[in-house]
Amino acid sequence: MPDTAAVAGDRDALPADEYVDLPILERETVFEGRIWDVRRDTLDYGPAGARIVREYVAHPGAVAILALDETDRVLLIKQYRQPVRAREWEIPAGLLDVAEEPPLEAAKRELAEEADLVASDWAVLADYFTTPGGSDEAIRVYLARGLAAAPEVHEREDEEADMERRWVPLDACVDAVLARRTGNPSFTVGVLAAAAARSRDWSTLGPADAAWPAHPSQRPAAG
């Protein structure tokens, strides 16, 4: 059997997703929504040239921010989410819905809009897909430190108008995930990744402007 410890220490041996662009024979929008659409792709799959049809939610992607203060407390917000009929504990997040806006700038904007905070130290904490079998939504989670009050307080409406904010120790956030008390994916991915990164003296963090091949719009051009 392979030496799992040796494999774990060999970065090149770690699992890595492979991003591919298969020939799309036909693409149509079967439902156009206010925020995202449902798309149907007919593609040429495999060496035998099999035609398969797949429908999925076409999503602009999003960023999330784990804001960590000097005492290792995480800023959480509690917000109502209609699809799951719950007021979820989350970390600040938002859609990549501003044309040509880089993901890092979107993260800075969302932190200011949702938490009235700015940060001097930014790094990439984790990248993930929310539902890769049914949506192309990709989310990048940033770690934000060196926090300070934003120069202006933002007005909020709808579900954001009654958001609750709370500073919670990172270890308590991990406990909440492991006790299955929370279900928000960015909260789960963010706090577990932050706890793991902290245990490795933050050596796993990526630069704030790191390439993001998981997001279709961020992949380098083919060829």
Side-chain angles (χ1 to χ4, degrees):
M1 296 182 62
D3 184 343
T4 55
V7 170
D10 182 357
R11 183 176 180 84
D12 291 336
L14 298 177
D17 293 342
E18 177 188 3
Y19 301 106
V20 296
D21 290 307
L22 298 176
I24 296 175
L25 305 176
E26 183 179 353
R27 169 170 287 173
E28 59 181 314
T29 299
V30 295
F31 173 78
E32 187 171 324
R34 189 174 66 88
I35 299 177
W36 42 68
D37 304 331
V38 175
R39 181 180 294 162
R40 178 183 294 136
D41 285 352
T42 302
L43 57 147
D44 183 354
Y45 187 81
R51 292 169 60 97
I52 62 175
V53 178
R54 295 293 180 265
E55 295 175 345
Y56 57 95
V57 174
H59 194 286
V63 291
I65 306 96
L66 190 138
L68 193 69
D69 73 6
E70 66 278 1
T71 62
D72 276 4
R73 296 184 306 166
V74 179
L75 175 68
L76 302 182
I77 58 177
K78 193 176 189 180
Q79 184 172 352
Y80 178 70
R81 296 298 187 183
Q82 173 62 20
V84 293
R85 316 297 198 275
R87 296 188 188 278
E88 287 192 314
W89 283 109
E90 308 178 353
I91 57 177
L95 297 173
L96 292 171
D97 56 359
V98 176
E100 305 300 324
E101 183 179 41
L104 177 58
E105 295 307 310
K108 293 179 179 180
R109 173 175 54 81
E110 291 295 342
L111 184 62
E113 290 179 357
E114 292 199 350
D116 299 322
L117 291 174
V118 295
S120 60
D121 183 6
W122 289 85
V124 173
L125 188 57
D127 295 332
Y128 75 96
F129 297 115
T130 56
T131 316
S135 171
D136 64 359
E137 180 181 13
I139 293 186
R140 166 157 283 185
V141 184
Y142 289 91
L143 177 68
R145 294 178 289 185
L147 304 172
E152 60 179 306
V153 175
H154 288 77
E155 293 186 6
R156 300 177 180 91
E157 58 185 16
D158 300 329
E159 295 96 334
E160 294 184 352
D162 61 350
M163 287 193 309
E164 179 182 346
R165 295 196 301 171
R166 184 182 299 179
W167 289 94
V168 179
L170 177 58
D171 290 333
C173 292
V174 172
D175 290 343
V177 171
L178 298 180
R180 299 170 300 282
R181 293 173 58 90
T182 59
N184 180 268
S186 293
F187 177 99
T188 298
V189 172
V191 301
L192 294 183
R198 183 183 60 181
S199 74
R200 301 182 184 191
D201 198 25
W202 304 108
S203 63
T204 61
L205 298 178
D209 60 352
W212 188 11
H215 194 288
S217 72
Q218 303 296 317
R219 296 177 191 170

